[in-house]
Amino acid sequence: MSTLFATYSEVIIAVSIGLICSFSLGVVFDKLILRRLANIARKTKFAGDDILVEELEGRSMPFFVLTGLYVALLTVGLDEPLEAIIRKVFIVLMVFFLTLLIARIISRMVR
């Protein structure tokens, strides 16, 4: 069995590699980069940067995982209608997560 251009095993391998790599990048971002940004933010007088870093901690993983899944699926060579659906779903999910993140940041800054 195969899709128009890729076999199911190719899709599974690509998705697995994409998820592992994106999850690893997400962990590195959370553990290294955000910790350094948190240390820098604590030294400033502006509270907004502290709020931004706090809201990103633990909530950045969906961005990395979705992006890794998206890139993996698009590199496999699926047929064009399926790729169009994947693009649209990716955009909807990213807009959803960004909207939630921005809403949380703004609501904390207003308090």
Side-chain angles (χ1 to χ4, degrees):
M1 285 192 198
S2 68
T3 60
L4 278 178
F5 299 110
T7 64
Y8 291 116
S9 61
E10 290 172 338
V11 172
I12 291 170
I13 291 170
V15 167
S16 299
I17 292 171
L19 288 177
I20 290 169
C21 291
S22 62
F23 184 78
S24 300
L25 284 173
V27 168
V28 167
F29 180 78
D30 271 352
K31 301 297 179 191
L32 296 179
I33 296 173
L34 280 181
R35 282 190 184 167
R36 289 184 182 168
L37 287 176
N39 290 335
I40 293 169
R42 275 189 223 108
K43 295 175 184 175
T44 65
K45 294 179 183 179
F46 180 60
D49 53 3
D50 295 321
I51 292 171
L52 178 65
V53 171
E54 287 171 11
E55 289 300 325
L56 282 174
E57 287 175 343
R59 291 185 180 87
S60 60
M61 192 60 70
F63 295 107
F64 286 97
V65 172
L66 277 175
T67 303
L69 183 62
Y70 174 72
V71 170
L73 287 173
L74 292 184
T75 57
V76 172
L78 301 171
D79 56 329
E80 189 58 37
L82 186 56
E83 282 188 5
I85 292 170
I86 291 170
R87 277 190 209 99
K88 290 175 185 174
V89 168
F90 174 75
I91 290 169
V92 167
L93 290 173
M94 289 303 262
V95 167
F96 174 74
F97 284 123
L98 281 172
T99 303
L100 285 177
L101 180 64
I102 291 169
R104 289 180 62 91
I105 291 169
I106 291 173
S107 70
R108 286 200 47 205
M109 285 185 173
V110 170
R111 289 186 211 162

